[in-house]
């Protein structure tokens, strides 16, 4: 009996071993040619999907420096979004039916994971299609459409000029879709907060002031832009005159009609608008906000957890600020020191043309100084250059204090670090370094321009926008120069901490407004009580939280994850750790969710060991 049992065990084991060997042989049977073929098929699908999406989005074509549909605007209709959802489902079905994952190479497998997750997220997010404010003070169409024409629509020849005129004519139907979208949101109980109306109405009315809308001496913003651009063309003066007259006609008719329709709608909605600001006021507002946090941070952190992280970070940074206060010999409390930093004239440029020029010259100097040190931080560097510009006058009142605009993919337009000269009291000199490092280099320019220029990843990965990754890198980039010996002036180092503190407060206030029912005023007070920033900064920031739920939580969550992964790599590799290689891992795979970034860093640690 015992021997029979042993015999059965032996035979069973032998059969299992043989079966395992067969499985191993099966794996070995996958040839490099098969992997190459399947990976090529999937990458061709990615390329085709990106191109089809690009064909449906003329404005994004212009962002990338492509002039194919430069006479058209994006479709803002519900019918278009329905079609997008259908195409998303079809793409996901193709992956399910047609892709054998085990035949993919490592890089294509990563691309597939990211692409599939993006499709699934888009399908899930469609439930919240109306949960946005298409007209707002941050990224509203009323200001972004003219900004697009000015900054993105280049006129290098007569055809470009004709396309510009076609886009002017297209503003009326596009704003008709915009108005329809605003009315649908109103019916669904999702309306722009009361405070936003004054700002967007000002933007809208400013765009239809000046010639050819009235008889004033000043030209309107768009007429001035068009005339300036065509004046540089090498064509006959008679052709320029014809183009100019056509542009004036389009402005007086379609552009005026489009803006008038929008203004009338906004003025009607303003009468019934609410002063309630948080996403909690929406139907299913809590579920929407939880979903928004998940998308923004690419983590499963709850609103309460994010709120707590923010409170802890605020306390830590206050401690480091107190140390600087002692270092410079300031007598008084941290709040007294904040007041000193807010009001002492030594920290502020004058609000005249001379002061603004001095600020811009210094900003350019900071960027140029960092350019000379990039080899210490990076193996891979972008070909695209970076320029420094002031925010244009027509939108400086509502725009953020600083931001970055990506370069054209064809190299025709450099990356741009924009600084806002509208309110010089919101632009203290001690924050200049941190702002320039975040928006320019080693911040967004390195991250975004490098991603655009990658050769071995599909286009959708180059232009992905995982906010926690993108903004986490930007905030991390404020810290890196400290380790390189920058921020030599303690006040400038205080400015760095003030910028980081600002992002820590964002965790507290964003979750406070959208999950804990804080009022706009409570949010403003939290900033003014806990930071050295001007009240105008606090007002703008809280208003940004309100119209972009969750977005501002990305910065600190992303930075903390990058620092955590860097520390993990340092501890694991010891003397073998090379910060340039670590940055290569972070930047040369395109934008990523934080959990995928962590996997790549773990792989890097293993390979270096």
């Amino acid at each position: 009996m015992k021997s029979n049992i042993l015999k059965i065990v032996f035979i069973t084991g032998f059969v299992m071993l043989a079966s395992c060997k067969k499985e191993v042989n099966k794996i070995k049977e996958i040839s490099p040619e098969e992997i190459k073929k399947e990976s090529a098929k999937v990458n061709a699908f990615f390329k085709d999907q990106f191109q089809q999406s690009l064909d449906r989005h003329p404005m994004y074509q212009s962002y990338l420096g492509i002039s194919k549909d430069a006479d058209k605007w994006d479709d803002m209709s519900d019918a278009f979004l329905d079609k997008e959802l259908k195409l998303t489902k079809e793409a996901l079905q193709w992956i399910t039916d047609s892709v054998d994952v085990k035949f993919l190479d490592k890089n294509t497998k990563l691309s597939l994971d990211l692409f599939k997750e993006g499709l699934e997220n888009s399908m899930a997010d469609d439930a919240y299609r109306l949960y946005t404010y298409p007209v707002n003070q941050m990224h509203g169409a009323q200001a972004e459409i003219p900004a697009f024409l000015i900054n993105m629509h280049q006129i290098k020849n007569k055809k470009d000029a004709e396309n510009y005129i076609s886009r002017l004519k297209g503003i009326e139907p596009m704003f008709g879709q915009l108005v329809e979208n605003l009315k649908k949101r109103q019916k669904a109980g999702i309306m722009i907060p009361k405070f936003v109306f004054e700002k967007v109405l000002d933007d809208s009315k400013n765009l239809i002031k000046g010639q050819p809308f009235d008889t004033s001496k000043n030209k309107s913003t768009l007429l001035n832009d068009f005339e300036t651009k065509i004046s540089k063309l090498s064509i006959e003066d008679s052709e320029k005159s014809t183009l100019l007259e056509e542009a004036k006609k389009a402005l007086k008719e379609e552009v005026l009609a489009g803006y008038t329709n929008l203004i009338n709608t906004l003025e009607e909605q303003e009468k019934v608008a609410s002063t309630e600001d948080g996403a909690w006021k929406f139907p299913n507002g809590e579920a929407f906000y939880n979903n928004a946090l998940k998308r923004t941070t690419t983590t499963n952190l709850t609103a309460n957890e994010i709120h707590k992280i923010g409170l802890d970070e605020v306390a830590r940074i206050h401690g480091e600020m107190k140390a600087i206060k002692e270092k410079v010999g300031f007598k008084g409390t941290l709040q007294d020191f904040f007041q000193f930093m807010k009001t002492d004239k030594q920290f502020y440029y004058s609000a005249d043309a001379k002061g603004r020029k001095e600020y811009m010259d210094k900003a350019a100097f900071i960027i140029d100084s960092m350019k000379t040190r990039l080899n210490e931080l990076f193996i891979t560097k972008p070909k695209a250059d970076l320029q420094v510009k002031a925010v244009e006058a027509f939108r400086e009142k509502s725009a953020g204090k600083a931001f970055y605009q990506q370069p054209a993919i064809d190299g025709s337009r450099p990356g741009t670090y924009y600084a806002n000269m509208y309110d010089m009291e919101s632009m203290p000199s001690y924050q200049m370094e941190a702002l320039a490092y975040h928006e320019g280099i080693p911040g967004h320019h390195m991250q975004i321009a490098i991603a655009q220029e990658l050769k071995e990843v599909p286009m959708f990965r180059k232009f992905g926008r995982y906010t926690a990754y993108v903004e986490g890198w930007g905030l991390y980039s404020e810290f890196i120069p400290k380790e390189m010996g920058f921020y030599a002036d303690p006040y400038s180092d205080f400015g760095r901490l003030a910028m980081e503190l600002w992002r820590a407060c964002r965790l507290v206030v964003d979750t406070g407004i959208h999950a804990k029912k804080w009022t706009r005023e409570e949010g403003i007070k939290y900033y003014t009580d806990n930071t050295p920033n001007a009240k105008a900064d606090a007002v703008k920031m809280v208003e940004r939280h309100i119209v972009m739920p969750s977005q501002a939580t990305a910065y600190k969550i992303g930075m903390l994850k990058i620092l955590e992964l860097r520390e993990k790599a340092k501890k694991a590799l010891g003397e073998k750790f090379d910060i340039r290689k670590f940055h290569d891992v972070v930047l040369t795979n395109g934008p990523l969710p934080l959990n995928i970034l962590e996997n790549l860093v773990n792989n890097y640690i293993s390979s270096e060991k």
Side-chain angles (χ1 to χ4, degrees), residues 91-102:
L92 192 59
Q93 192 62 51
W94 184 90
I95 290 170
T96 303
D97 295 343
S98 307
V99 179
D100 193 336
V101 177
K102 68 176 178 288

Side-chain angles (χ1 to χ4, degrees), residues 401-414:
K401 66 191 292 178
F403 51 93
Y404 173 75
Q405 177 183 288
Q406 69 197 54
I409 196 168
D410 65 357
S412 61
R413 184 186 69 244

Side-chain angles (χ1 to χ4, degrees), residues 35 39-40 42-43 46 101 103-115 454-462 588-590 592 596 600 603:
I35 292 172
S39 298
V42 173
N43 280 298
F46 294 148
V101 177
F103 283 85
L104 300 180
D105 62 47
K106 193 167 120 182
N107 196 35
T108 305
K109 173 67 169 60
L110 173 59
S111 296
L112 185 71
D113 289 343
L114 293 169
F115 193 83
L454 294 173
K455 302 293 184 192
E456 302 301 321
V457 301
M459 292 290 276
F460 84 88
R461 280 176 60 185
K462 294 182 184 185
T588 59
N589 290 284
L592 298 163
I596 300 293
L600 293 180
N603 293 340

Side-chain angles (χ1 to χ4, degrees), residues 174-189:
M174 178 179 56
F175 275 27
Q177 291 180 337
L178 179 61
V179 164
E180 184 64 27
N181 291 339
L182 289 169
K183 289 177 178 177
K184 280 179 182 171
R185 282 164 172 77
Q186 183 175 3
K187 273 188 186 175

Side-chain angles (χ1 to χ4, degrees), residues 53-94:
S53 178
L54 198 58
D55 289 343
R56 299 192 299 272
H57 293 89
M59 293 174 70
Y60 197 49
Q61 292 175 28
S62 296
Y63 275 117
L64 299 184
I66 299 166
S67 58
K68 178 175 173 286
D69 294 313
D71 58 336
K72 299 179 179 69
W73 294 110
D74 288 359
D75 190 338
M76 294 184 179
S77 68
D78 254 359
F80 177 79
L81 293 178
D82 289 339
K83 183 182 175 186
E84 288 290 290
L85 181 61
K86 181 173 178 287
L87 291 170
T88 298
K89 290 175 179 176
E90 288 173 0
L92 192 59
Q93 192 62 51
W94 184 90

Side-chain angles (χ1 to χ4, degrees), residues 459-496:
M459 292 290 276
F460 84 88
R461 280 176 60 185
K462 294 182 184 185
F463 297 103
R465 286 294 177 266
Y466 295 97
T467 314
Y469 170 91
V470 173
E471 297 300 352
W473 174 263
L475 186 50
Y476 168 74
S477 295
E478 294 178 23
F479 175 70
I480 301 169
K482 168 76 173 171
E483 300 175 313
M484 300 169 68
F486 290 96
Y487 301 110
D489 179 352
Y491 290 119
S492 191
D493 196 28
F494 175 88
R496 173 188 68 81

Side-chain angles (χ1 to χ4, degrees), residues 378-382 446 450 454 580 584 587-588:
F378 302 101
I379 297 168
T380 304
K381 294 180 282 295
M446 297 302 291
I450 285 174
L454 294 173
R580 298 172 308 148
D584 243 31
L587 296 181
T588 59

